[in-house]
């Protein structure tokens, strides 16, 4: 165990995700377990620059494992992207006596961590937290499982009204660059078609699939669309397009938005966050830096931050095929 690390700072950064609080709790309690001091950094890198630190002990994280959002708050800091901003942040950390950092966030947050630790002597460890699951080096990011369950619950409800009215619904889900949420909820919610950024199915194929669905006797349909889909039309334009080409459908649109990022974390996310926090702190104490902890084959593993950022989290092609077969 490292003799040099006596105080660890933990922060959440980027878009929030259910399970971030469970991750903070785990980092704080693992520090307490190893007799290391821990401070929470408010509002991510922005709070680091302002020097907003909260001393945290095992009891200060009671009652948060089941809470969505992040008690430390989060931000996407523009100032930290500048050299001057990072210098101020480093000075604040030194003043506070912080020897190492655990950063809970997505690829933008990890890029900041990597640049920072290259410029200054500050060990960093990343915990992937984003509902999009678009990080290489882990099969699951914090919040992803909860978001899937939230969205499936909503799709089930939309299906009720869709089938009562014999309607076609375009349901937009989050996923700026990745279709993991869309593909999984599409299969779980029995969607007719799933439109994701990784595969541009094209408008012809969409119409073909909707015609086939009508011909096979289905009276209502759900098409799940990832927000980053590359078909070239947003959900409202897709509605107009189908209105124009298939008058037999009555079409409605539902954009789920930020509700997907909220809510109490699932059991899976709470356990994952607890495991990741332990691994992150203990890896720092073993003298490691510049890694992201991840779940691979149900084992906690470390991936260099650079790879986690640059590597692609690939869509599951087998699931894409399952989705196609299920619409028969
Ligand atoms: O980072 C996850 C994510 O949910 C994306 O899918 C989405 O595009 C983005 O955050 C929106 O975040 P915000 O509105 O906070 O900028």
């Amino acid at each position: 165990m490292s003799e040099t690390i006596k105080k660890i700072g933990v922060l959440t950064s980027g878009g929030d995700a259910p399970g971030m609080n469970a991750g903070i709790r785990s980092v704080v309690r693992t520090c307490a377990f190893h007799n290391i001091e821990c401070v929470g950094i408010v509002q991510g890198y922005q709070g680091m620059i302002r020097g907003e630190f909260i001393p945290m002990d095992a009891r200060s994280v009671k009652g948060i494992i089941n809470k969505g959002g992040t008690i430390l708050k989060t931000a996407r800091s523009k100032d930290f992207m500048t050299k001057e901003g990072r210098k101020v942040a480093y000075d604040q950390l030194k003043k506070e006596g912080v020897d190492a950092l655990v950063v809970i966030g997505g690829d933008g947050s990890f890029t900041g961590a990597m640049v920072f630790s290259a410029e200054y002597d500050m060990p960093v460890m990343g915990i992937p937290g984003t509902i999009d699951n678009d990080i290489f080096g882990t099969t699951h990011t914090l919040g992803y499982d909860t978001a899937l369950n939230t969205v499936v619950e909503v799709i089930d409800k939309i299906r009720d009204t869709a089938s009562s009215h014999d309607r076609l619904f375009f349901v937009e889900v989050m996923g700026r660059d990745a279709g993991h949420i869309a593909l999984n909820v599409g299969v779980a919610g029995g969607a007719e078609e799933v439109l994701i950024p990784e595969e541009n199915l094209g408008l012809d194929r969409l119409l073909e699939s909707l015609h086939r669905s009508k011909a096979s006797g289905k009276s209502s349909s759900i098409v799940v669309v990832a927000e980053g889909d590359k078909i070239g039309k947003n959900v409202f334009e897709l509605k107009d397009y189908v209105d124009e080409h298939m008058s037999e459908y009555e079409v409605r649109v539902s954009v789920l938005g930020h509700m997907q990022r909220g809510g109490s974390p699932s059991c899976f996310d709470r356990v994952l966050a607890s495991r990741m926090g332990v691994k992150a702190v203990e890896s720092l104490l073993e003298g490691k830096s510049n890694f992201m902890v991840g779940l691979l084959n149900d084992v906690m593993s470390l991936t260099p931050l650079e790879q986690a950022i640059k590597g692609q989290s690939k869509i599951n092609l087998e699931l894409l095929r399952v989705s196609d077969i299920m619409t028969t």
Side-chain angles (χ1 to χ4, degrees):
M1 290 285 162
S2 162
E3 297 291 307
T4 49
I5 296 182
K6 301 213 165 7
K7 195 188 257 193
I8 288 178
V10 57
L11 62 89
T12 49
S13 161
D16 65 345
M20 281 185 162
N21 280 328
I24 295 166
R25 173 181 180 268
S26 174
V27 168
V28 170
R29 293 216 167 146
T30 308
C31 285
F33 180 82
H34 289 287
N35 292 314
I36 303 289
E37 276 186 78
C38 187
V39 287
I41 304 170
V42 178
Q43 229 185 10
Y45 297 118
Q46 207 53 39
M48 192 187 283
I49 291 171
R50 285 198 307 268
E52 245 187 276
F53 303 108
I54 308 173
M56 299 184 94
D57 63 15
R59 295 286 70 75
S60 63
V61 286
K62 69 176 194 288
I64 66 166
I65 193 168
N66 56 337
K67 300 275 191 289
T70 158
I71 58 162
L72 288 177
K73 300 198 181 287
T74 184
R76 294 187 173 97
S77 172
K78 290 220 161 48
D79 296 337
F80 197 74
M81 291 176 191
T82 67
K83 235 181 169 11
E84 299 72 37
R86 292 192 295 274
K87 167 84 176 75
V88 177
Y90 180 73
D91 291 343
Q92 295 283 19
L93 288 177
K94 282 290 112 183
K95 206 163 107 196
E96 178 65 26
V98 173
D99 304 310
L101 288 175
V102 176
V103 173
I104 308 177
D107 53 358
S109 315
F110 293 163
T111 304
M114 222 176 66
V115 173
F116 190 58
S117 85
E119 283 173 354
Y120 299 101
D121 182 24
M122 180 62 62
V124 293
M125 203 51 70
I127 292 182
T130 162
I131 65 162
D132 291 351
N133 205 37
D134 56 348
I135 309 269
F136 178 82
T138 187
T139 52
H140 290 75
T141 55
L142 292 186
Y144 172 54
D145 181 68
T146 305
L148 291 182
N149 288 307
T150 302
V151 178
V152 163
E153 206 182 314
V154 175
I155 289 185
D156 287 347
K157 289 177 177 159
I158 291 176
R159 180 170 294 288
D160 288 345
T161 176
S163 61
S164 303
H165 288 266
D166 287 349
R167 282 174 173 162
L168 162 66
F169 267 83
F170 284 103
V171 180
E172 187 192 274
V173 300
M174 277 188 167
R176 201 175 17 204
D177 306 307
H180 298 290
I181 295 181
L183 183 54
N184 279 271
V185 301
V187 170
E192 202 46 48
E193 200 56 86
V194 181
L195 307 180
I196 53 176
E198 294 85 346
E199 290 260 312
N200 186 354
L201 297 181
L203 291 165
D204 292 345
R205 151 86 194 251
L206 176 65
L207 285 189
E208 199 183 295
S209 154
L210 293 175
H211 278 301
R212 211 180 36 238
S213 152
K214 261 279 182 243
S216 74
K218 293 185 191 172
S219 55
S220 67
S221 286
I222 288 179
V223 175
V224 177
V225 186
E227 61 175 333
D229 171 56
K230 304 277 187 294
I231 205 164
K233 291 192 186 296
N234 66 35
V235 269
F236 297 99
E237 292 164 344
L238 283 174
K239 173 191 176 330
D240 292 345
Y241 186 79
V242 174
D243 278 345
E244 202 179 307
H245 292 83
M246 289 187 73
S247 53
E248 61 269 46
Y249 270 116
E250 198 186 340
V251 191
R252 291 290 185 272
V253 170
S254 204
V255 177
L256 303 192
H258 289 77
M259 57 93 78
Q260 297 164 87
R261 290 221 302 238
S264 178
S266 64
C267 175
F268 181 89
D269 274 327
R270 296 180 200 191
V271 173
L272 183 64
S274 305
R275 293 174 74 184
M276 285 181 165
V278 171
K279 182 72 178 176
V281 171
E282 293 191 338
S283 300
L284 283 171
L285 297 182
E286 282 162 14
K288 300 192 175 95
S289 173
N290 254 302
F291 287 98
M292 179 197 80
V293 303
L295 183 71
L296 294 174
N297 296 319
D298 201 30
V299 174
M300 277 296 114
S301 36
L302 296 178
T303 299
L305 276 181
E306 191 171 2
Q307 266 183 39
I309 297 159
K310 292 194 179 144
Q312 290 228 311
S313 69
K314 295 225 165 57
I315 207 78
N316 185 342
L317 293 175
E318 180 245 348
L319 201 52
L320 205 54
R321 188 161 172 269
V322 169
S323 168
D324 279 348
I325 295 174
M326 288 304 112
T327 59
T328 305

